[in-house]
């Protein structure tokens, strides 16, 4: 019995030593991964550390929905069976010309396995770009596109829909534009010990996140291009029973994603937004829906087959949305009255409000805040109408997320956040 115990302990020791050796070898190769020499920001994800630090969560899973099991099977197959060399830490980057897209470069270890995986999972999205060189393109949904040959696997994640492959082909062929992440100047902080790390070359934004069993903690620093007023004021709002509460007092130059969304929503271009936007926007989605009356016109026929107009009126339950801007005439004229739901516009004090509720508000007060940028989301009360695949998972897991910033000086913010699940 003693001999068996010694053998078992020896085997466990050898397994631990082997595992640690593999871990260290993979970790030492992190700096050799390729990114573009023109990278303006880099996002990194510590694959190995995430798995090791959360192994207890992975082993102690309860009952899961078929959708979750299917996604986990897909991820496992991608890592083990897709013929792609998955490193200990993955790096994604963007460039000044492609601000709304992130790219990644990985190595192919088995071309046939890679082709087979994507041909089986995405038969409608896969096609040959060059059969002779074995260059293959794959579309995954609307925002993810892949290009690979016998040596390299290039992918991009785009904010906008795009079916163009020219940027991926250029990146695949122009290997002289690549550099190893360890040699990329201005990104010393990207080799972080945290699970997720995002760094911009100009040092304007740095965010790190540590992921645990039930909570993710976020820290960061944000250097702004424009001063922030020390007397921070927001619209006084009821923050109880909220699905989402968001506000920003930061210049749009420092939040390009928000500027992009505002451009799509208002129709105002960058110059028009700069002229009419007063560095204030807030958005609320209340947990309880509101009612809108919908009138539709149908035509019926009388005994003589003459068309008779008939009105059909029905009450619809829709999400209770309130958004506010500093009042501006051009903004008022450009904001749409209908976008999925009917929106009512009103001027209330110094604010321009847009809401799905028909309860008009004549006067709104302002109140001080410590947070120039704030966001809270409670997916537990997320509207049923918006439960797409991703949001459904967040809703099912009752995810809550909070991001807040505080002033260190007029151009520097500290970032704190937490995601509970």
């Amino acid at each position: 019995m003693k001999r068996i115990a010694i053998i078992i302990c020896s085997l466990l020791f050898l397994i631990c030593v082997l595992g640690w050796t593999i871990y260290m070898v993979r970790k030492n190769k992190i700096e050799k991964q390729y990114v573009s020499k023109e990278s303006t920001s880099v996002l990194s994800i510590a694959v190995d550390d995430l798995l090791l630090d959360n192994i207890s969560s992975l082993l102690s899973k309860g009952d899961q929905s078929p959708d979750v099991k299917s996604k986990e099977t897909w991820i496992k197959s991608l890592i083990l069976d897709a013929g792609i060399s998955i490193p200990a830490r993955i790096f994604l980057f963007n460039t000044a010309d492609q601000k709304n897209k992130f790219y990644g470069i990985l190595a192919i270890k088995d071309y046939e396995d890679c082709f087979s995986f994507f041909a089986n999972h995405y038969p409608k999205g896969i096609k040959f770009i060059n059969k002779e060189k074995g260059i293959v393109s794959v579309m995954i949904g609307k925002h993810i596109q892949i290009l690979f040959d016998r040596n390299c696997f290039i992918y991009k994640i785009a904010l906008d829909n795009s079916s163009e492959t020219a940027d991926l082909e250029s990146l695949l062929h122009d290997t002289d534009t690549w550099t190893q992440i360890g040699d990329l100047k201005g990104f010393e902080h990207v080799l972080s010990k945290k699970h997720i790390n995002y760094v911009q070359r100009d040092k304007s934004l740095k965010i790190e996140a540590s992921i645990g069993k039930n909570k993710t903690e976020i820290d960061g620093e944000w250097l702004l291009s424009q001063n922030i007023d020390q007397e921070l004021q927001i619209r006084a709002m009821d923050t109880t029973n909220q699905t989402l509460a968001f506000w920003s007092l930061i210049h749009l130059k420092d939040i390009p994603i928000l500027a992009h969304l505002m451009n799509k929503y208002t129709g105002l271009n960058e110059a028009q937004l700069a002229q009419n936007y007063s560095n204030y926007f807030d958005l609320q989605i209340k947990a309880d829906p509101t009612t809108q009356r919908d009138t539709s016109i149908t035509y019926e026929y009388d005994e003589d087959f003459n068309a008779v107009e008939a009105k059909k009126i029905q009450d619809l339950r829709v999400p209770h949305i309130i958004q506010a801007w500093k009042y501006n005439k051009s903004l008022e004229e450009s904001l749409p009255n209908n976008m999925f739901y009917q929106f009512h516009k009103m001027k209330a004090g110094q604010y321009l409000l847009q809401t799905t509720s028909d309860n008009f508000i004549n006067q709104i007060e302002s109140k001080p805040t410590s947070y120039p940028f704030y966001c809270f989301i409670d997916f537990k009360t997320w509207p049923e109408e918006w439960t797409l695949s991703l949001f459904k998972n967040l809703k099912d897991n009752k995810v809550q997320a909070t991001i807040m910033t505080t002033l260190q000086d007029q151009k520097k913010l500290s970032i704190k956040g937490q995601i509970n699940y």
Side-chain angles (χ1 to χ4, degrees):
M1 190 70 179
K2 184 178 179 181
R3 187 176 179 182
I4 293 174
I6 292 173
I7 292 172
I8 292 173
C9 289
S10 299
L11 286 173
L12 289 173
F13 176 75
L14 288 173
I15 291 171
C16 290
V17 170
L18 178 61
W20 180 253
T21 302
I22 293 172
Y23 171 77
M24 292 305 297
V25 168
R26 283 173 57 80
K27 190 172 184 178
N28 289 331
K29 291 181 179 179
I30 285 175
E31 296 187 23
K32 297 181 180 179
Q33 286 183 73
Y34 286 102
V35 294
S36 170
K37 293 178 182 178
E38 304 301 320
S39 298
T40 53
S41 63
V42 173
L43 172 68
S44 70
I45 304 169
V47 178
D48 288 9
D49 288 342
L50 266 171
L51 293 173
L52 287 173
D53 293 344
N54 293 278
I55 193 166
S56 61
S57 302
L58 296 172
L59 295 175
S60 61
K61 289 179 180 177
D63 294 334
Q64 295 176 313
S65 67
D67 287 344
V68 173
K69 288 182 179 179
S70 176
K71 287 178 181 178
E72 289 192 350
T73 301
W74 182 89
I75 292 171
K76 182 180 178 181
S77 181
L78 176 67
I79 293 173
L80 299 178
D81 306 323
I84 307 166
S85 181
I86 306 294
R89 194 173 192 102
I90 291 175
F91 293 92
L92 297 94
F93 60 89
N94 63 13
T95 63
D97 295 333
Q98 303 288 355
K99 293 180 181 179
N100 297 322
K101 300 173 185 176
F102 271 95
Y103 298 85
I105 302 171
L106 298 174
I108 292 286
K109 60 183 179 182
D110 192 311
Y111 177 80
E112 299 300 330
D113 284 350
C114 188
F115 184 89
S116 177
F117 174 86
F118 288 102
N120 288 331
H121 284 83
Y122 303 99
K124 294 182 179 180
I126 190 169
K127 65 178 181 180
F128 273 104
I129 300 296
N130 188 317
K131 275 194 175 183
E132 184 180 345
K133 295 181 179 180
I135 301 176
V136 179
S137 169
V138 186
M139 282 291 297
I140 301 179
K142 297 179 180 179
H143 304 284
I144 301 175
Q145 192 167 10
I146 293 165
L147 203 71
F148 65 90
D149 61 11
R150 293 182 173 85
N151 299 306
C152 297
F153 183 91
I154 312 292
Y155 60 100
K156 72 175 175 183
I157 302 171
L159 185 64
D160 297 320
N161 298 349
S162 174
S163 58
E164 294 294 325
T165 61
D167 53 345
L168 289 173
E169 290 182 61
S170 176
L171 186 60
L172 180 66
H173 296 310
D174 299 338
T175 55
D176 290 341
T177 64
W178 302 2
T179 185
Q180 292 181 342
I181 189 68
D183 297 330
L184 187 63
K185 303 301 181 184
F187 287 94
E188 292 75 15
H189 293 295
V190 81
L191 298 172
S192 169
K193 293 182 180 179
K194 297 293 182 71
H195 294 141
I196 297 176
N197 180 267
Y198 174 81
V199 178
Q200 292 186 351
R201 171 173 261 163
D202 60 6
K203 305 293 191 299
S204 61
L205 186 60
K206 180 180 73 173
I207 300 176
E208 296 180 326
S210 297
I211 299 175
K213 182 178 180 180
N214 302 114
K215 180 173 68 175
T216 294
E217 294 184 344
I218 300 168
D219 293 281
E221 286 186 352
W222 193 351
L223 300 179
L224 306 176
S225 63
Q226 307 285 327
N227 284 352
I228 290 228
D229 190 347
Q230 294 288 346
E231 295 183 6
L232 304 175
Q233 297 278 327
I234 62 169
R235 173 177 66 93
M237 61 180 79
D238 178 13
T239 57
T240 60
N241 202 28
Q242 299 290 305
T243 294
L244 183 147
F246 168 86
W247 65 76
S248 171
L249 292 85
I250 296 172
H251 197 281
L252 283 181
K253 285 184 178 179
D254 294 306
I255 317 178
I257 291 179
L258 183 59
H260 177 80
L261 293 174
M262 285 184 175
N263 167 253
K264 294 288 186 182
Y265 181 65
T266 66
L268 299 176
N269 60 34
E270 186 176 336
Q272 291 171 323
L273 276 173
Q275 183 179 356
N276 297 290
Y277 177 71
S278 301
N279 297 339
Y280 182 86
F281 175 74
D282 72 50
L283 172 66
Q284 284 179 278
I285 302 174
K286 293 183 174 290
D288 296 324
T290 188
T291 301
Q292 289 189 348
R293 179 154 290 182
D294 179 65
T295 302
S296 58
I297 297 175
T298 59
Y299 290 91
E300 300 174 353
Y301 294 91
D302 59 16
E303 295 178 351
D304 298 323
F305 295 99
N306 296 314
V308 178
E309 182 179 291
K311 289 185 178 180
K312 184 178 180 181
I313 300 174
Q314 59 180 350
D315 290 334
L316 304 175
R317 299 290 280 171
V318 303
H320 189 170
I321 304 169
I322 305 170
Q323 58 186 25
W325 320 62
K326 286 290 180 68
Y327 182 81
N328 179 280
K329 185 66 176 176
S330 295
L331 271 176
E332 182 179 25
E333 293 173 351
S334 65
L335 293 177
N337 294 318
N338 290 281
M339 182 172 280
F340 305 111
Y341 313 108
Q342 181 182 357
F343 279 91
H344 305 281
K345 284 187 258 186
M346 65 193 81
K347 181 180 180 182
Q350 62 177 315
Y351 298 101
L352 169 62
L353 267 62
Q354 227 187 353
T355 172
T356 54
S357 172
D358 58 4
N359 292 327
F360 290 89
I361 306 169
N362 296 321
Q363 187 64 38
I364 291 289
E365 296 181 354
S366 296
K367 71 173 186 178
T369 180
S370 300
Y371 312 122
F373 182 95
Y374 176 90
C375 184
F376 167 79
I377 306 177
D378 183 359
F379 285 101
K380 182 172 61 176
T381 59
W382 194 250
E384 293 291 341
E385 301 91 329
W386 300 349
T387 49
L388 301 174
S389 179
L390 171 63
F391 296 121
K392 184 179 185 304
N393 290 336
L394 295 171
K395 185 179 179 71
D396 291 343
N397 287 285
K398 300 178 180 179
V399 174
Q400 285 187 334
T402 305
I403 295 287
M404 58 188 72
T405 63
T406 53
L407 281 172
Q408 293 187 17
D409 59 47
Q410 283 189 310
K411 283 190 176 182
K412 187 175 183 180
L413 303 176
S414 65
I415 301 171
K416 291 287 182 183
Q418 188 168 290
I419 304 172
N420 297 303
Y421 33 83

